[in-house]
């Protein structure tokens, strides 16, 4: 079993080395992302291990299949960067859906707390020995209304946290979770109109692409705070910039960005950035952007590595693969076969 590990970082190696070596799986770490120019490096391997900004679109999936690669191992929960239709019945796609919902929800909370209470600005002020607090008047979260879009594993934790703070939590989900007691499910429009803060936790799909756009922003409360730790393209960046300019949006906390592939995880501090919208976003005092790091806790990294190895083992043994992404099931939202403990194909 030989795995080629694209887009490898030092923190990945610490955790993956241990789990892969224990199971005597061979691994080659490379820093390059998977894309058309690098897919040739996968020849001769049984599996590719990829992350959020690796590209496994249809043409790349075809090439991997041609090389005899049997598994695309996503070391992340989202799978919008893999063409699951092209992969269907040709190559297994396995992900790590539940590695640490708390890790992401707590980061969403950190963004909300910083943007809401302006602590990111206080940090730079006091480090400059400027102890003036003018401009930092904020709102309590207690007693306000939060709107959660997507109440799966991460959204549910976020809903419980915000409910614990004393917020009323409204939620919208295509497939509501009846077990989740901390939320009241409403139509998406009601959520947009009533929420003081909105946190996005749905996957990026054709349906959720630009869910936050000029039309939906027009429905928001004045002074709303938006938090996105899900995927960048759920927000239409141009529309959100207009929303910030008009002051409709009072705060924006982003861990993801529509065009992040080009920039995130790289040090570009010596460059003049070409992306005018990214530069614009970074110029606002009420925008806090982190570089897709919500997953980055020790607990999450440990589970990502162990779950990925479990995925390989399940696939090699022909046993049930609970973490397989299947084109047909994902489009239906549930799978009768999988619920009975069988693989889809
Ligand atoms: P999940 O599959 O458990 O939950 C997603 C929820 O979204 C489900 O309840 C689903 O029914 C709902 N949903 C699907 N389509 C929808 C739609 N059109 N409208 C409203 N709701 C819809 O996933 P999760 O583990 O909670 O992760 C959510 C997302 O968070 C992932 O898809 C990924 O993009 C992102 N993520 C980001 C990071 C990070 O580091 N920033 C880490 C992990 C996951």
């Amino acid at each position: 079993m030989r795995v080629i590990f694209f887009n490898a970082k030092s923190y990945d190696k610490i955790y993956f080395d241990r789990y892969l070596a224990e199971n005597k799986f061979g691994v080659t770490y490379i820093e390059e992302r998977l894309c058309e120019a690098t897919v040739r490096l996968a020849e001769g391997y049984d599996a590719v291990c990829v992350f959020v900004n690796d590209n496994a679109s249809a043409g790349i999936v075809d090439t991997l299949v041609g090389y005899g690669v049997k598994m695309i191992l996503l070391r992340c929960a989202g799978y919008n960067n893999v063409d699951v239709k092209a992969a269907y019945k040709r190559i297994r796609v396995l992900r790590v859906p539940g590695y640490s919902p708390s890790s992401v929800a707590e980061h969403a909370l950190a963004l909300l707390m910083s943007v809401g209470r302006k602590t990111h600005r206080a940090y730079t002020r006091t480090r400059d020995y400027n102890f003036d607090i003018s401009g930092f008047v904020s709102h309590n979260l207690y007693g306000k209304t939060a709107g959660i879009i997507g109440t799966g594993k991460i959204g549910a934790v976020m809903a419980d946290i915000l409910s614990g703070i004393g917020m009323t939590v409204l939620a919208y989900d295509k497939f509501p979770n009846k077990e989740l007691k901390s939320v009241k499910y409403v139509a998406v429009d009601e959520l947009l109109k009533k929420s003081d803060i909105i946190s996005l936790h749905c996957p990026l799909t054709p349906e959720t692409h630009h869910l936050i756009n000029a039309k939906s922003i027009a429905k928001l409360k004045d002074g709303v705070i938006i938090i996105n730790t899900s995927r960048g393209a759920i927000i239409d960046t141009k529309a959100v910039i207009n929303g910030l300019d008009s002051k409709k949006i009072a705060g924006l906390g982003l861990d993801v960005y529509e065009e992040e592939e080009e920039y995130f995880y790289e040090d570009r501090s010596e460059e003049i950035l070409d992306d005018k919208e990214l530069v614009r976003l970074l110029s606002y005092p009420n925008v806090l952007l982190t570089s897709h790091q919500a997953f980055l806790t020790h607990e999450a990294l440990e589970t990502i590595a162990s779950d990925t190895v479990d995925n390989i083992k399940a696939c090699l043994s022909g046993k049930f693969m609970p973490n397989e992404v299947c084109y047909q099931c994902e489009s239906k939202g549930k799978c009768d076969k999988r619920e009975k403990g069988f693989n889809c194909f």
Side-chain angles (χ1 to χ4, degrees), residues 51-52 76-80 95 97-99 101 104 149-156 172-176 200-205 207-208 211 229-231 234 255-256 265 292-296:
F51 196 49
V52 292
C76 53
Y79 53 87
N80 52 287
R95 64 178 182 136
Y99 59 80
V104 183
I149 301 187
T151 52
K153 285 173 278 301
I154 298 168
Y172 169 71
D173 195 299
K174 203 174 161 190
F175 306 102
L200 303 172
H201 299 288
C202 54
L204 175 62
T205 63
E207 225 174 325
T208 61
L211 183 77
T229 54
S230 192
R231 286 291 181 267
I234 295 173
D255 187 48
V256 287
Y265 303 124
H292 208 140
Q293 66 170 71
F295 72 98
L296 199 62

Side-chain angles (χ1 to χ4, degrees), residues 232-246:
I234 295 173
I235 291 183
D236 176 350
T237 309
K238 282 193 180 68
V240 100
I241 286 174
N242 290 336
L244 286 159
D245 285 341
S246 69

Side-chain angles (χ1 to χ4, degrees), residues 109-130:
L109 179 70
L111 290 174
L112 171 61
M113 291 295 202
S114 300
V115 169
R117 299 303 292 266
K118 309 176 201 308
T119 51
H120 58 301
R121 298 186 56 209
Y123 172 79
T124 50
R125 242 188 235 187
T126 53
R127 284 178 73 89
D128 204 22
Y129 306 147
N130 176 354

